[in-house]
Amino acid sequence: MGKSHFFSNTTYYSLLGLHPSASVIDIRRAYRELSKIYHPDTTELPANLATTKFQQINEAYATLSNPERRLSYDLKIGYSRFGVIQTPTDLNRPVSRGYDWSKSGYLDATDRPLSSGEIFVLFILGLTIVGCMLLAIAIAVLRGEVIL
């Protein structure tokens, strides 16, 4: 939960002492700790300083705790969950290299083998389907219906 050295001290993340990749739980925890410190009714700081800081913390939390507002804010400051957005060094030349997805937090289910638990679930699912078909055939035979 340390301050990021990539972003200036004026971001909502730095106000809460967080990196932009912080989880919702980290954001809530940081907000609660700071609101206890800077709440005008409970702090020893001068009232005007405490009120200003508390309002900034509230504004940061209101933005970062709302997924849509957080995404919009992240784009505004140039942060992306898939990588930091950086402008090309030469703006007259298009960027030719594609994005390296291996460095992102995105996981593709086809990039890994099935776990033993997933194989077991598929086995049970297959048994259930075969069992239901056999049950339907048995009921049809007991009723005397013709099976083609």
Side-chain angles (χ1 to χ4, degrees), residues 2 18 33 48 50 68 78 83 105 117 123 131 143:
L18 300 169
E33 290 173 10
N48 59 349
E68 292 84 18
F123 175 73
R143 287 186 175 178

Side-chain angles (χ1 to χ4, degrees), residues 12 16 27 31 55-70 73:
Y12 289 154
L16 297 177
I27 292 170
Y31 169 74
Q55 287 172 344
Q56 291 172 341
I57 292 167
N58 278 333
E59 184 180 338
Y61 179 71
T63 299
L64 300 180
S65 63
N66 180 309
E68 292 84 18
R69 290 176 66 186
R70 182 177 181 183
Y73 180 75

Side-chain angles (χ1 to χ4, degrees), residues 70-120:
R70 182 177 181 183
L71 179 62
S72 175
Y73 180 75
D74 286 349
L75 291 173
K76 178 181 165 186
I77 66 169
Y79 179 76
S80 169
R81 300 275 178 271
F82 298 110
V84 177
I85 300 169
Q86 296 177 349
T87 58
T89 53
D90 183 5
L91 295 176
N92 295 323
R93 185 173 52 100
V95 177
S96 60
R97 66 182 190 279
Y99 183 75
D100 184 6
W101 290 99
S102 67
K103 295 180 181 176
S104 74
Y106 175 74
L107 296 177
D108 185 4
T110 61
D111 287 347
R112 61 172 181 76
L114 293 175
S115 70
S116 58
E118 291 167 328
I119 292 172
F120 178 74

